[in-house]
Structures are given as structure tokens and as C-alpha cells.
Amino acid sequence: HAKESGRGCHAFFDSEIDDRNRRRIQVKNGLRLARTRGELSLAYQPEVDPVSGEVKIYEALMRWYSNEIGLVSPVEFIAVAEESELIEELTEWLIAQVAADCQQAPLNRAKISINLSPRQFRSESWLRQVNAAVDSGSVDPGRLCIEVTESALVEDFSRAHEQLKEIQKLGIEVAIDDFGTGYSSLSYLKRMPIDYLKIDRSFVADIGQDTDDQTIVETVIVMAHALGLKVVAEGAENSQQVEFLTSHQCDLIQGYYYAKPASLHDLAAQEREQLNTH
Ligand code: C2E
Ligand code: MG
Ligand code: MG
Ligand code: MG
């Protein structure tokens, strides 16, 4: 081992870079075939109105189980897909899958939100895909929500603005995901056509432990409401966090406290079970 023999750290770093490149190439090659091999699926995670307990939105989260390399996190494979036009292919699959699922219980009683990558604003293919799904009648635009991170707004303000405006005209809602981790200024928020701020999990995680993070959460909720936006908190795991968020008028809460992401099949089974026990 270069690391142990001390022949300099170059060999060590080189081999680490080699490993990372090999993995990236493996993921990219696998991903190209994932769709036709039927390896992609969606998990849905509820966003709950904490006052009524009703699920208002289900977020669609992509899952990839590769027959060769096993389960790969979307954090990893989305980043690889973003390096090429693969991300457009994945989104096309995502929209078609959501269109197929959205009439099924329990999804049919809520909205469905989908995640878009910032670089997708460079082309309008996602917009054409959404329009096609709406035109075909398979998706009711009033039941769809788009999630984008702040970086999408900052990197290409005018294109993002134009495309989100068009999406909103269809009646589709827009959420800023992972809010607080990017660099968007208040002026972006004011000028962008958006409906929700989704407070990043890192701020929610420290509720009860870090008073600065509590202040940030409180302030974001007040600010969002003042701008006419609704607020979703992500990653709430315990009752203390949920109570804090609820008492500060957070509109929707998502997190393991309520539910982990689950397949439509499992959601439907859970619902049948609840009906049977009540
Ligand atoms: P995101 O959009 O911010 O999604 C929230 C992530 O937080 C999900 O991870 C979810 O499983 C996780 N999460 C939710 N509640 C909790 C909680 O209480 N505790 C903890 N520890 N985690 C929680 P996931 O499914 O691994 O997705 C990671 C990211 O991958 C997403 O972050 C999103 O940026 C991206 N992603 C997932 N699906 C898609 C997709 O279809 N398209 C695109 N472009 N990106 C996607
Ligand atoms: Mg999201
Ligand atoms: Mg998020
Ligand atoms: Mg997040």
C-alpha cells in the first residue's frame, strides 16, 4: 500500500481518484440501462398538515436497485445523471410513472411533488414532458408540484423564472427545496413564481438543541408567510420538533415522525390495514 509504505501520498490519492472514477462510470453505465431493465421505482413520502393530520402532498423520491451494484442512493445517481442528458431521461420516466400512479389510492387524495435538477432549466425538455402529460389528460395540473433547489434560481435566474412562470400558469405549484442551504437572496424569493419554501432538514434536526437553528426556523416561517408563501419543514423525526413547528404555524411537515418514503404498493397495503382495524 502506497499509504503505508510512505512512498508519497500521490499514489494513495491517485488510487482513490481511480476508485471514484470507476464507481462513477459503473453508475453511469448502469443508469443508462436502468429504465429499460425496470430497475427504477418511486417511493412516496407524505407532507402532513399537522393541525388536521391530513396528508396534503406526497413527494415522489426516485429509487434505483441495480442488479449489478445493488441499491444506489439518489444523492449519488442523480449527481451522475446531472453530468449528461441522462437526467432528462430519468425525469421523463418519473413524469410517466407519476402519471400512472396518481389515480391510485391513497395518492389520489393529495398532490404529488416531483424533484427537478437545477441543470434541467438549461433545456425545456422537462417542460415539454409535463405539458404532454397534462395534455394527454393523465395528470391534473392542479395536483402537481415541482421542487427545485435555490441553486436553480441563482445559476440561471431568467430561464428558471420563465419556465416556472409557465408551469404556474398551468396551475402547478412550485416549491424551493432545501431552503437555507443555498445562496438565494430575498429579492429572488420575491421575484420568483413560487408557492412553498421547504426548510432544509439540517435546521429542523437541531430544534430542541440549537437555539440559533430554532430562531432560523421561526424567522423563515414568519418571512415566508409575509411574502405569501407556505412553509414545509423537512426531516422532522420527533414530537418535540413537530410541536415546535406546529406552534410556529408551519403549514406542512415531512419526516420520519410521520412516515418514511414507501412504495405505492406499501402505501395502499397500509391503508387497507388501517381500514380493517378501525
Ligand atoms: P430531497 O428532495 O430534499 O428529499 C428529501 C430527502 O430527505 C429524501 O432522501 C428523504 O428520504 C429524506 N428524509 C425525509 N424525511 C427524513 C427524516 O425524517 N430523516 C432523515 N434522516 N431523512 C429524511 P432521498 O430519498 O434519499 O433523496 C435524496 C435527494 O435525492 C432528494 O432530496 C433529491 O434532491 C434527490 N432526488 C430524489 N429523487 C429525485 C428525482 O426524482 N429527481 C431529482 N432530480 N432528484 C431526486
Ligand atoms: Mg425534494
Ligand atoms: Mg429537500
Ligand atoms: Mg434536504
mmCIF file of all heavy atoms in Angstrom, residues 153-197:
data_model
loop_
_atom_site.group_PDB
_atom_site.id
_atom_site.type_symbol
_atom_site.label_atom_id
_atom_site.label_comp_id
_atom_site.label_asym_id
_atom_site.label_seq_id
_atom_site.Cartn_x
_atom_site.Cartn_y
_atom_site.Cartn_z
ATOM 1 N N LEU A 153 -32.330 28.723 -9.087
ATOM 2 C CA LEU A 153 -32.752 30.114 -9.280
ATOM 3 C C LEU A 153 -31.553 31.021 -9.481
ATOM 4 O O LEU A 153 -31.583 31.976 -10.257
ATOM 5 C CB LEU A 153 -33.535 30.609 -8.063
ATOM 6 C CG LEU A 153 -34.583 29.673 -7.484
ATOM 7 C CD1 LEU A 153 -35.308 30.370 -6.350
ATOM 8 C CD2 LEU A 153 -35.564 29.244 -8.556
ATOM 9 N N VAL A 154 -30.480 30.698 -8.757
ATOM 10 C CA VAL A 154 -29.320 31.587 -8.761
ATOM 11 C C VAL A 154 -28.506 31.422 -10.045
ATOM 12 O O VAL A 154 -28.055 32.388 -10.634
ATOM 13 C CB VAL A 154 -28.438 31.309 -7.519
ATOM 14 C CG1 VAL A 154 -27.203 32.181 -7.521
ATOM 15 C CG2 VAL A 154 -29.259 31.557 -6.256
ATOM 16 N N GLU A 155 -28.349 30.145 -10.490
ATOM 17 C CA GLU A 155 -27.494 29.876 -11.644
ATOM 18 C C GLU A 155 -28.038 30.448 -12.933
ATOM 19 O O GLU A 155 -27.295 30.890 -13.797
ATOM 20 C CB GLU A 155 -27.298 28.358 -11.812
ATOM 21 C CG GLU A 155 -26.195 27.813 -10.939
ATOM 22 C CD GLU A 155 -26.254 26.289 -10.819
ATOM 23 O OE1 GLU A 155 -26.690 25.640 -11.785
ATOM 24 O OE2 GLU A 155 -25.866 25.782 -9.750
ATOM 25 N N ASP A 156 -29.322 30.385 -13.092
ATOM 26 C CA ASP A 156 -29.894 30.816 -14.360
ATOM 27 C C ASP A 156 -31.250 31.463 -14.096
ATOM 28 O O ASP A 156 -32.292 30.912 -14.431
ATOM 29 C CB ASP A 156 -30.035 29.600 -15.289
ATOM 30 C CG ASP A 156 -30.132 30.024 -16.735
ATOM 31 O OD1 ASP A 156 -30.458 31.197 -16.982
ATOM 32 O OD2 ASP A 156 -29.881 29.181 -17.611
ATOM 33 N N PHE A 157 -31.190 32.629 -13.487
ATOM 34 C CA PHE A 157 -32.413 33.258 -12.998
ATOM 35 C C PHE A 157 -33.474 33.419 -14.081
ATOM 36 O O PHE A 157 -34.621 33.031 -13.894
ATOM 37 C CB PHE A 157 -32.112 34.628 -12.365
ATOM 38 C CG PHE A 157 -33.337 35.300 -11.819
ATOM 39 C CD1 PHE A 157 -33.770 35.035 -10.530
ATOM 40 C CD2 PHE A 157 -34.088 36.158 -12.609
ATOM 41 C CE1 PHE A 157 -34.924 35.624 -10.031
ATOM 42 C CE2 PHE A 157 -35.241 36.754 -12.113
ATOM 43 C CZ PHE A 157 -35.653 36.482 -10.831
ATOM 44 N N SER A 158 -33.083 33.963 -15.241
ATOM 45 C CA SER A 158 -34.112 34.326 -16.206
ATOM 46 C C SER A 158 -34.780 33.094 -16.813
ATOM 47 O O SER A 158 -35.990 33.062 -17.001
ATOM 48 C CB SER A 158 -33.556 35.252 -17.284
ATOM 49 O OG SER A 158 -32.571 34.586 -18.008
ATOM 50 N N ARG A 159 -33.962 32.050 -17.095
ATOM 51 C CA ARG A 159 -34.571 30.844 -17.648
ATOM 52 C C ARG A 159 -35.453 30.133 -16.630
ATOM 53 O O ARG A 159 -36.548 29.668 -16.954
ATOM 54 C CB ARG A 159 -33.502 29.891 -18.164
ATOM 55 C CG ARG A 159 -33.311 30.088 -19.660
ATOM 56 C CD ARG A 159 -32.554 28.939 -20.226
ATOM 57 N NE ARG A 159 -31.178 29.351 -20.446
ATOM 58 C CZ ARG A 159 -30.326 28.693 -21.211
ATOM 59 N NH1 ARG A 159 -30.704 27.573 -21.784
ATOM 60 N NH2 ARG A 159 -29.114 29.132 -21.386
ATOM 61 N N ALA A 160 -34.968 30.053 -15.386
ATOM 62 C CA ALA A 160 -35.770 29.413 -14.340
ATOM 63 C C ALA A 160 -37.068 30.190 -14.143
ATOM 64 O O ALA A 160 -38.154 29.603 -14.037
ATOM 65 C CB ALA A 160 -34.978 29.346 -13.036
ATOM 66 N N HIS A 161 -36.940 31.501 -14.128
ATOM 67 C CA HIS A 161 -38.108 32.364 -13.940
ATOM 68 C C HIS A 161 -39.148 32.113 -15.022
ATOM 69 O O HIS A 161 -40.329 31.910 -14.742
ATOM 70 C CB HIS A 161 -37.654 33.824 -13.943
ATOM 71 C CG HIS A 161 -38.756 34.796 -13.656
ATOM 72 N ND1 HIS A 161 -39.513 35.376 -14.641
ATOM 73 C CD2 HIS A 161 -39.242 35.270 -12.482
ATOM 74 C CE1 HIS A 161 -40.413 36.176 -14.090
ATOM 75 N NE2 HIS A 161 -40.277 36.127 -12.778
ATOM 76 N N GLU A 162 -38.676 32.106 -16.274
ATOM 77 C CA GLU A 162 -39.557 31.927 -17.424
ATOM 78 C C GLU A 162 -40.265 30.565 -17.376
ATOM 79 O O GLU A 162 -41.474 30.478 -17.574
ATOM 80 C CB GLU A 162 -38.663 31.992 -18.667
ATOM 81 C CG GLU A 162 -39.329 32.365 -19.968
ATOM 82 C CD GLU A 162 -38.257 32.438 -21.045
ATOM 83 O OE1 GLU A 162 -37.360 33.315 -20.933
ATOM 84 O OE2 GLU A 162 -38.284 31.598 -21.955
ATOM 85 N N GLN A 163 -39.488 29.528 -17.090
ATOM 86 C CA GLN A 163 -40.057 28.178 -17.120
ATOM 87 C C GLN A 163 -40.998 27.928 -15.939
ATOM 88 O O GLN A 163 -42.041 27.292 -16.089
ATOM 89 C CB GLN A 163 -38.919 27.141 -17.154
ATOM 90 C CG GLN A 163 -38.152 27.212 -18.469
ATOM 91 C CD GLN A 163 -36.983 26.250 -18.533
ATOM 92 O OE1 GLN A 163 -36.966 25.230 -17.862
ATOM 93 N NE2 GLN A 163 -35.992 26.573 -19.350
ATOM 94 N N LEU A 164 -40.646 28.460 -14.778
ATOM 95 C CA LEU A 164 -41.523 28.263 -13.618
ATOM 96 C C LEU A 164 -42.814 29.063 -13.767
ATOM 97 O O LEU A 164 -43.882 28.642 -13.322
ATOM 98 C CB LEU A 164 -40.787 28.630 -12.329
ATOM 99 C CG LEU A 164 -39.639 27.693 -11.954
ATOM 100 C CD1 LEU A 164 -38.920 28.177 -10.702
ATOM 101 C CD2 LEU A 164 -40.135 26.255 -11.758
ATOM 102 N N LYS A 165 -42.714 30.218 -14.393
ATOM 103 C CA LYS A 165 -43.888 31.042 -14.681
ATOM 104 C C LYS A 165 -44.872 30.243 -15.534
ATOM 105 O O LYS A 165 -46.077 30.231 -15.290
ATOM 106 C CB LYS A 165 -43.402 32.288 -15.445
ATOM 107 C CG LYS A 165 -44.303 33.495 -15.415
ATOM 108 C CD LYS A 165 -44.013 34.433 -14.313
ATOM 109 C CE LYS A 165 -45.267 35.212 -13.943
ATOM 110 N NZ LYS A 165 -45.068 35.898 -12.670
ATOM 111 N N GLU A 166 -44.310 29.589 -16.548
ATOM 112 C CA GLU A 166 -45.141 28.796 -17.449
ATOM 113 C C GLU A 166 -45.820 27.634 -16.710
ATOM 114 O O GLU A 166 -46.985 27.326 -16.948
ATOM 115 C CB GLU A 166 -44.266 28.271 -18.583
ATOM 116 C CG GLU A 166 -45.029 28.080 -19.876
ATOM 117 C CD GLU A 166 -44.081 27.863 -21.039
ATOM 118 O OE1 GLU A 166 -43.157 28.685 -21.221
ATOM 119 O OE2 GLU A 166 -44.259 26.856 -21.728
ATOM 120 N N ILE A 167 -45.049 27.025 -15.820
ATOM 121 C CA ILE A 167 -45.560 25.895 -15.038
ATOM 122 C C ILE A 167 -46.696 26.363 -14.120
ATOM 123 O O ILE A 167 -47.734 25.729 -13.987
ATOM 124 C CB ILE A 167 -44.378 25.289 -14.230
ATOM 125 C CG1 ILE A 167 -43.934 23.940 -14.713
ATOM 126 C CG2 ILE A 167 -44.623 25.161 -12.760
ATOM 127 C CD1 ILE A 167 -44.628 23.091 -15.554
ATOM 128 N N GLN A 168 -46.500 27.529 -13.509
ATOM 129 C CA GLN A 168 -47.528 28.061 -12.609
ATOM 130 C C GLN A 168 -48.808 28.421 -13.355
ATOM 131 O O GLN A 168 -49.898 28.296 -12.809
ATOM 132 C CB GLN A 168 -46.992 29.297 -11.878
ATOM 133 C CG GLN A 168 -46.731 29.044 -10.413
ATOM 134 C CD GLN A 168 -46.437 30.323 -9.652
ATOM 135 O OE1 GLN A 168 -46.320 31.405 -10.229
ATOM 136 N NE2 GLN A 168 -46.308 30.200 -8.351
ATOM 137 N N LYS A 169 -48.645 28.868 -14.610
ATOM 138 C CA LYS A 169 -49.819 29.202 -15.426
ATOM 139 C C LYS A 169 -50.710 27.980 -15.649
ATOM 140 O O LYS A 169 -51.919 28.090 -15.795
ATOM 141 C CB LYS A 169 -49.378 29.774 -16.783
ATOM 142 C CG LYS A 169 -49.519 31.296 -16.846
ATOM 143 C CD LYS A 169 -49.338 31.797 -18.267
ATOM 144 C CE LYS A 169 -47.885 32.145 -18.539
ATOM 145 N NZ LYS A 169 -47.515 32.195 -19.959
ATOM 146 N N LEU A 170 -50.085 26.808 -15.676
ATOM 147 C CA LEU A 170 -50.844 25.562 -15.832
ATOM 148 C C LEU A 170 -51.586 25.198 -14.550
ATOM 149 O O LEU A 170 -52.399 24.297 -14.528
ATOM 150 C CB LEU A 170 -49.903 24.399 -16.182
ATOM 151 C CG LEU A 170 -49.176 24.416 -17.521
ATOM 152 C CD1 LEU A 170 -48.175 23.270 -17.585
ATOM 153 C CD2 LEU A 170 -50.178 24.293 -18.664
ATOM 154 N N GLY A 171 -51.245 25.880 -13.436
ATOM 155 C CA GLY A 171 -51.863 25.560 -12.151
ATOM 156 C C GLY A 171 -51.006 24.640 -11.305
ATOM 157 O O GLY A 171 -51.459 24.099 -10.291
ATOM 158 N N ILE A 172 -49.748 24.432 -11.735
ATOM 159 C CA ILE A 172 -48.824 23.580 -10.981
ATOM 160 C C ILE A 172 -48.089 24.436 -9.956
ATOM 161 O O ILE A 172 -47.643 25.542 -10.273
ATOM 162 C CB ILE A 172 -47.823 22.896 -11.951
ATOM 163 C CG1 ILE A 172 -48.591 21.953 -12.892
ATOM 164 C CG2 ILE A 172 -46.728 22.160 -11.186
ATOM 165 C CD1 ILE A 172 -47.753 21.383 -14.025
ATOM 166 N N GLU A 173 -47.957 23.930 -8.734
ATOM 167 C CA GLU A 173 -47.276 24.699 -7.693
ATOM 168 C C GLU A 173 -45.765 24.461 -7.721
ATOM 169 O O GLU A 173 -45.289 23.442 -8.227
ATOM 170 C CB GLU A 173 -47.837 24.339 -6.317
ATOM 171 C CG GLU A 173 -49.266 24.859 -6.137
ATOM 172 C CD GLU A 173 -49.729 24.784 -4.697
ATOM 173 O OE1 GLU A 173 -49.667 23.680 -4.110
ATOM 174 O OE2 GLU A 173 -50.161 25.818 -4.162
ATOM 175 N N VAL A 174 -45.038 25.430 -7.153
ATOM 176 C CA VAL A 174 -43.575 25.373 -7.157
ATOM 177 C C VAL A 174 -43.057 25.509 -5.726
ATOM 178 O O VAL A 174 -43.505 26.375 -4.969
ATOM 179 C CB VAL A 174 -42.986 26.505 -8.031
ATOM 180 C CG1 VAL A 174 -41.465 26.499 -7.970
ATOM 181 C CG2 VAL A 174 -43.468 26.385 -9.478
ATOM 182 N N ALA A 175 -42.126 24.655 -5.359
ATOM 183 C CA ALA A 175 -41.514 24.710 -4.025
ATOM 184 C C ALA A 175 -40.006 24.894 -4.153
ATOM 185 O O ALA A 175 -39.374 24.331 -5.049
ATOM 186 C CB ALA A 175 -41.802 23.421 -3.254
ATOM 187 N N ILE A 176 -39.438 25.701 -3.261
ATOM 188 C CA ILE A 176 -37.978 25.792 -3.169
ATOM 189 C C ILE A 176 -37.525 24.774 -2.125
ATOM 190 O O ILE A 176 -37.877 24.876 -0.953
ATOM 191 C CB ILE A 176 -37.522 27.210 -2.756
ATOM 192 C CG1 ILE A 176 -38.018 28.250 -3.762
ATOM 193 C CG2 ILE A 176 -35.993 27.260 -2.645
ATOM 194 C CD1 ILE A 176 -37.567 28.017 -5.187
ATOM 195 N N ASP A 177 -36.752 23.793 -2.600
ATOM 196 C CA ASP A 177 -36.325 22.664 -1.778
ATOM 197 C C ASP A 177 -35.062 23.021 -0.998
ATOM 198 O O ASP A 177 -34.286 23.879 -1.430
ATOM 199 C CB ASP A 177 -36.041 21.480 -2.716
ATOM 200 C CG ASP A 177 -36.204 20.135 -2.036
ATOM 201 O OD1 ASP A 177 -36.347 20.088 -0.806
ATOM 202 O OD2 ASP A 177 -36.175 19.131 -2.762
ATOM 203 N N ASP A 178 -34.841 22.349 0.118
ATOM 204 C CA ASP A 178 -33.611 22.506 0.912
ATOM 205 C C ASP A 178 -33.342 23.967 1.231
ATOM 206 O O ASP A 178 -32.185 24.415 1.213
ATOM 207 C CB ASP A 178 -32.396 21.923 0.167
ATOM 208 C CG ASP A 178 -32.584 20.462 -0.148
ATOM 209 O OD1 ASP A 178 -33.435 19.818 0.482
ATOM 210 O OD2 ASP A 178 -31.872 19.953 -1.035
ATOM 211 N N PHE A 179 -34.402 24.722 1.519
ATOM 212 C CA PHE A 179 -34.234 26.160 1.698
ATOM 213 C C PHE A 179 -33.322 26.462 2.891
ATOM 214 O O PHE A 179 -33.453 25.868 3.961
ATOM 215 C CB PHE A 179 -35.588 26.857 1.898
ATOM 216 C CG PHE A 179 -35.437 28.348 1.991
ATOM 217 C CD1 PHE A 179 -35.171 29.102 0.854
ATOM 218 C CD2 PHE A 179 -35.499 28.995 3.226
ATOM 219 C CE1 PHE A 179 -34.982 30.468 0.930
ATOM 220 C CE2 PHE A 179 -35.312 30.367 3.305
ATOM 221 C CZ PHE A 179 -35.056 31.108 2.159
ATOM 222 N N GLY A 180 -32.408 27.400 2.666
ATOM 223 C CA GLY A 180 -31.484 27.806 3.719
ATOM 224 C C GLY A 180 -30.067 27.302 3.484
ATOM 225 O O GLY A 180 -29.127 27.772 4.111
ATOM 226 N N THR A 181 -29.907 26.335 2.570
ATOM 227 C CA THR A 181 -28.576 25.793 2.314
ATOM 228 C C THR A 181 -27.913 26.448 1.110
ATOM 229 O O THR A 181 -26.730 26.289 0.879
ATOM 230 C CB THR A 181 -28.625 24.268 2.056
ATOM 231 O OG1 THR A 181 -29.480 24.024 0.941
ATOM 232 C CG2 THR A 181 -29.159 23.533 3.267
ATOM 233 N N GLY A 182 -28.693 27.180 0.301
ATOM 234 C CA GLY A 182 -28.145 27.827 -0.892
ATOM 235 C C GLY A 182 -27.853 29.283 -0.627
ATOM 236 O O GLY A 182 -27.668 29.696 0.509
ATOM 237 N N TYR A 183 -27.844 30.045 -1.685
ATOM 238 C CA TYR A 183 -27.458 31.445 -1.535
ATOM 239 C C TYR A 183 -28.478 32.393 -2.125
ATOM 240 O O TYR A 183 -28.146 33.467 -2.581
ATOM 241 C CB TYR A 183 -26.103 31.692 -2.208
ATOM 242 C CG TYR A 183 -24.986 30.914 -1.571
ATOM 243 C CD1 TYR A 183 -24.587 29.699 -2.097
ATOM 244 C CD2 TYR A 183 -24.359 31.406 -0.434
ATOM 245 C CE1 TYR A 183 -23.573 28.973 -1.509
ATOM 246 C CE2 TYR A 183 -23.343 30.683 0.162
ATOM 247 C CZ TYR A 183 -22.958 29.464 -0.383
ATOM 248 O OH TYR A 183 -21.952 28.752 0.195
ATOM 249 N N SER A 184 -29.741 32.006 -2.161
ATOM 250 C CA SER A 184 -30.703 32.897 -2.791
ATOM 251 C C SER A 184 -31.016 34.062 -1.866
ATOM 252 O O SER A 184 -31.161 33.900 -0.658
ATOM 253 C CB SER A 184 -31.976 32.139 -3.151
ATOM 254 O OG SER A 184 -32.576 31.621 -2.004
ATOM 255 N N SER A 185 -31.089 35.231 -2.441
ATOM 256 C CA SER A 185 -31.389 36.415 -1.636
ATOM 257 C C SER A 185 -32.901 36.588 -1.557
ATOM 258 O O SER A 185 -33.656 35.953 -2.279
ATOM 259 C CB SER A 185 -30.763 37.641 -2.275
ATOM 260 O OG SER A 185 -31.426 37.930 -3.483
ATOM 261 N N LEU A 186 -33.307 37.459 -0.663
ATOM 262 C CA LEU A 186 -34.737 37.710 -0.520
ATOM 263 C C LEU A 186 -35.339 38.244 -1.812
ATOM 264 O O LEU A 186 -36.498 37.987 -2.112
ATOM 265 C CB LEU A 186 -34.973 38.708 0.618
ATOM 266 C CG LEU A 186 -34.730 38.162 2.015
ATOM 267 C CD1 LEU A 186 -34.893 39.283 3.043
ATOM 268 C CD2 LEU A 186 -35.684 37.028 2.320
ATOM 269 N N SER A 187 -34.528 38.972 -2.585
ATOM 270 C CA SER A 187 -35.074 39.540 -3.811
ATOM 271 C C SER A 187 -35.422 38.438 -4.822
ATOM 272 O O SER A 187 -36.373 38.559 -5.575
ATOM 273 C CB SER A 187 -34.116 40.567 -4.418
ATOM 274 O OG SER A 187 -33.180 39.941 -5.245
ATOM 275 N N TYR A 188 -34.651 37.331 -4.811
ATOM 276 C CA TYR A 188 -35.015 36.193 -5.673
ATOM 277 C C TYR A 188 -36.373 35.645 -5.269
ATOM 278 O O TYR A 188 -37.222 35.362 -6.110
ATOM 279 C CB TYR A 188 -33.989 35.064 -5.531
ATOM 280 C CG TYR A 188 -32.733 35.267 -6.324
ATOM 281 C CD1 TYR A 188 -31.520 35.493 -5.696
ATOM 282 C CD2 TYR A 188 -32.762 35.208 -7.715
ATOM 283 C CE1 TYR A 188 -30.359 35.669 -6.430
ATOM 284 C CE2 TYR A 188 -31.606 35.377 -8.447
ATOM 285 C CZ TYR A 188 -30.400 35.611 -7.809
ATOM 286 O OH TYR A 188 -29.272 35.774 -8.521
ATOM 287 N N LEU A 189 -36.536 35.495 -3.977
ATOM 288 C CA LEU A 189 -37.792 34.923 -3.488
ATOM 289 C C LEU A 189 -38.972 35.784 -3.900
ATOM 290 O O LEU A 189 -40.031 35.288 -4.255
ATOM 291 C CB LEU A 189 -37.766 34.804 -1.964
ATOM 292 C CG LEU A 189 -36.782 33.817 -1.376
ATOM 293 C CD1 LEU A 189 -36.974 33.743 0.127
ATOM 294 C CD2 LEU A 189 -36.974 32.449 -2.013
ATOM 295 N N LYS A 190 -38.765 37.089 -3.838
ATOM 296 C CA LYS A 190 -39.861 37.996 -4.148
ATOM 297 C C LYS A 190 -40.210 37.945 -5.635
ATOM 298 O O LYS A 190 -41.365 38.056 -6.007
ATOM 299 C CB LYS A 190 -39.474 39.425 -3.751
ATOM 300 C CG LYS A 190 -40.597 40.181 -3.071
ATOM 301 C CD LYS A 190 -40.190 41.597 -2.714
ATOM 302 C CE LYS A 190 -40.161 42.479 -3.946
ATOM 303 N NZ LYS A 190 -39.706 43.847 -3.642
ATOM 304 N N ARG A 191 -39.169 37.775 -6.465
ATOM 305 C CA ARG A 191 -39.409 37.849 -7.911
ATOM 306 C C ARG A 191 -39.742 36.503 -8.540
ATOM 307 O O ARG A 191 -40.225 36.461 -9.663
ATOM 308 C CB ARG A 191 -38.169 38.441 -8.600
ATOM 309 C CG ARG A 191 -38.074 39.956 -8.375
ATOM 310 C CD ARG A 191 -36.630 40.432 -8.313
ATOM 311 N NE ARG A 191 -35.903 40.171 -9.547
ATOM 312 C CZ ARG A 191 -34.584 39.999 -9.623
ATOM 313 N NH1 ARG A 191 -33.857 40.039 -8.535
ATOM 314 N NH2 ARG A 191 -34.002 39.795 -10.767
ATOM 315 N N MET A 192 -39.445 35.426 -7.849
ATOM 316 C CA MET A 192 -39.683 34.107 -8.444
ATOM 317 C C MET A 192 -41.113 33.655 -8.235
ATOM 318 O O MET A 192 -41.698 33.914 -7.188
ATOM 319 C CB MET A 192 -38.773 33.077 -7.759
ATOM 320 C CG MET A 192 -37.462 32.901 -8.439
ATOM 321 S SD MET A 192 -37.678 32.069 -10.026
ATOM 322 C CE MET A 192 -36.040 32.330 -10.696
ATOM 323 N N PRO A 193 -41.669 32.970 -9.238
ATOM 324 C CA PRO A 193 -43.012 32.435 -9.057
ATOM 325 C C PRO A 193 -42.963 31.168 -8.188
ATOM 326 O O PRO A 193 -42.772 30.063 -8.698
ATOM 327 C CB PRO A 193 -43.465 32.105 -10.490
ATOM 328 C CG PRO A 193 -42.213 31.931 -11.265
ATOM 329 C CD PRO A 193 -41.128 32.702 -10.571
ATOM 330 N N ILE A 194 -43.092 31.311 -6.882
ATOM 331 C CA ILE A 194 -43.046 30.151 -6.006
ATOM 332 C C ILE A 194 -44.208 30.144 -5.010
ATOM 333 O O ILE A 194 -44.786 31.182 -4.706
ATOM 334 C CB ILE A 194 -41.707 30.039 -5.229
ATOM 335 C CG1 ILE A 194 -41.321 31.369 -4.597
ATOM 336 C CG2 ILE A 194 -40.598 29.536 -6.123
ATOM 337 C CD1 ILE A 194 -39.978 31.330 -3.895
ATOM 338 N N ASP A 195 -44.529 28.964 -4.532
ATOM 339 C CA ASP A 195 -45.658 28.783 -3.616
ATOM 340 C C ASP A 195 -45.230 28.300 -2.236
ATOM 341 O O ASP A 195 -45.872 28.608 -1.247
ATOM 342 C CB ASP A 195 -46.632 27.760 -4.217
ATOM 343 C CG ASP A 195 -47.146 28.198 -5.576
ATOM 344 O OD1 ASP A 195 -48.004 29.095 -5.612
ATOM 345 O OD2 ASP A 195 -46.657 27.665 -6.592
ATOM 346 N N TYR A 196 -44.145 27.494 -2.194
ATOM 347 C CA TYR A 196 -43.696 26.918 -0.919
ATOM 348 C C TYR A 196 -42.207 27.121 -0.698
ATOM 349 O O TYR A 196 -41.422 27.047 -1.644
ATOM 350 C CB TYR A 196 -43.872 25.389 -0.906
ATOM 351 C CG TYR A 196 -45.266 24.871 -0.965
ATOM 352 C CD1 TYR A 196 -45.851 24.570 -2.200
ATOM 353 C CD2 TYR A 196 -45.999 24.632 0.195
ATOM 354 C CE1 TYR A 196 -47.141 24.055 -2.272
ATOM 355 C CE2 TYR A 196 -47.278 24.113 0.127
ATOM 356 C CZ TYR A 196 -47.840 23.835 -1.102
ATOM 357 O OH TYR A 196 -49.112 23.316 -1.167
ATOM 358 N N LEU A 197 -41.826 27.295 0.548
ATOM 359 C CA LEU A 197 -40.429 27.132 0.948
ATOM 360 C C LEU A 197 -40.354 25.840 1.741
ATOM 361 O O LEU A 197 -41.142 25.622 2.669
ATOM 362 C CB LEU A 197 -39.969 28.284 1.853
ATOM 363 C CG LEU A 197 -39.788 29.662 1.237
ATOM 364 C CD1 LEU A 197 -39.130 30.588 2.262
ATOM 365 C CD2 LEU A 197 -38.944 29.597 -0.022
#
